[in-house]
Amino acid sequence: MVLHVSKIGVEVATEFLRDHSAPHQKRFAFSYTITIKNHGKEPAKLLKRHWFITDANGQVQEVKGEGVVGEQPLIQPGRSFRYTSGTILKTPVGSMHGTYQMVCPNGTYYDAIIPPFRLAVPELVN
């Protein structure tokens, strides 16, 4: 059984990667740095990620996989884990959201919600 709970907090910082983008080829590269905070009373291990990446045309790319950046971190209560990854969009604006599947030492699984965040070329944002 998978529960949706708020024991895990997620903070996101994004950056447009101009040097890795080619706007004339509809290639807009972004990095995102995620900080996952354990607000619970038990350690939590991140097992899987499930992303929905949407561009300005409404095209959705679904990404599922084990862990994040090759790791399945065990996050102790009151501690956090930070990583940086990236994505490519065909439009200068888009968004991402999803879930992390977590497990506690007692075997309880739950989904930590990754709230929607925006990816945008800075010159386009007022």
Side-chain angles (χ1 to χ4, degrees):
M1 178 176 179
V2 176
L3 306 172
H4 294 277
V5 297
S6 59
K7 294 178 186 178
I8 300 295
V10 178
E11 295 177 5
V12 183
T14 65
E15 182 180 356
F16 174 59
L17 303 175
R18 189 173 310 281
D19 293 344
H20 297 282
S21 297
H24 59 282
Q25 296 175 352
K26 296 185 179 182
R27 178 183 165 88
F28 299 88
F30 297 89
S31 70
Y32 52 91
T33 299
I34 306 272
T35 303
I36 305 165
K37 296 182 178 183
N38 184 349
H39 299 295
K41 296 181 180 181
E42 299 181 286
K45 184 174 184 175
L46 190 157
L47 298 177
K48 298 178 183 181
R49 69 189 182 286
H50 187 181
W51 286 108
F52 295 94
I53 306 166
T54 307
D55 70 17
N57 295 325
Q59 292 185 359
V60 179
Q61 179 184 0
E62 190 173 355
V63 178
K64 295 180 181 182
E66 300 292 318
V68 290
V69 294
E71 297 185 50
Q72 290 183 320
L74 178 66
I75 307 169
Q76 297 295 329
R79 304 297 299 242
S80 62
F81 176 81
R82 179 176 289 155
Y83 73 94
T84 300
S85 190
T87 192
I88 305 289
L89 297 179
K90 292 182 180 179
T91 61
V93 177
S95 66
M96 293 178 63
H97 73 279
T99 57
Y100 294 125
Q101 184 183 58
M102 311 295 289
V103 64
C104 292
N106 68 8
T108 301
Y109 292 86
Y110 62 94
D111 282 348
I113 304 300
I114 307 163
F117 59 92
R118 188 173 182 187
L119 302 165
V121 174
E123 298 84 40
L124 300 178
V125 180
N126 291 331

